[in-house]
Amino acid sequence: MKGYFWGLLSVLFITFAQLLLKWGVARLPELSLSPYWLNTEWLWLNHHSLVAIMAGLISYAFSMLSWLFALKYLPLNKAYPLISLSYVSVYLMAVLLPWFNENISLMKTFGILFILLGVWFISRPESRGS
């Protein structure tokens, strides 16, 4: 049970990370190779986006740490399908939260259903035939 807790916690952290990174990067002006981003005025003008990006990166670190604990307590064939639940949760949150402006489509929804079906198939206990 500990392993599933850590695995699901990793999924939550990685979902949060993806959404924060998307939100932060989408609000930054177009980046170029010029050093204008070292300007303190530019940093201050974009500090909300930069904080979101940093929080997303920190969330990735927590996701990795949680994943390590999940791997400690679960066999790989049980742990790995859990991580694909992040695809499902990111899609659902991007569609449901209005500030992402993501549209729902039949093909994407079928893809998510196939991911869930795959997780279910892989996670089921195997029956041992004689």
Side-chain angles (χ1 to χ4, degrees), residues 41-114:
E41 182 180 339
W42 184 90
L43 292 172
W44 180 250
L45 287 173
N46 297 293
H47 75 278
H48 287 90
S49 297
L50 296 171
V51 167
I53 291 168
M54 289 303 299
L57 293 174
I58 291 167
S59 186
Y60 261 127
F62 282 127
S63 174
M64 186 186 309
L65 185 63
S66 301
W67 182 244
L68 292 174
F69 282 111
L71 290 177
K72 178 178 179 162
Y73 297 112
L74 284 176
L76 194 56
N77 67 344
K78 298 291 182 194
Y80 197 71
L82 284 177
I83 210 69
S84 63
L85 292 176
S86 67
Y87 301 125
V88 175
S89 59
V90 168
Y91 171 71
L92 289 175
M93 296 306 290
V95 167
L96 294 174
L97 296 173
W99 49 86
F100 288 109
N101 294 322
E102 297 280 339
N103 57 352
I104 192 168
S105 76
L106 189 58
M107 291 306 287
K108 290 177 189 176
T109 304
F110 277 137
I112 292 301
L113 291 174
F114 280 126

Side-chain angles (χ1 to χ4, degrees), residues 112-123:
I112 292 301
L113 291 174
F114 280 126
I115 290 171
L116 290 172
L117 190 62
V119 169
W120 181 71
F121 277 133
I122 292 172
S123 299

Side-chain angles (χ1 to χ4, degrees), residues 30-49:
E30 188 173 330
L31 297 174
S32 70
L33 294 178
S34 66
Y36 73 88
W37 49 269
L38 292 174
N39 182 339
T40 55
E41 182 180 339
W42 184 90
L43 292 172
W44 180 250
L45 287 173
N46 297 293
H47 75 278
H48 287 90
S49 297

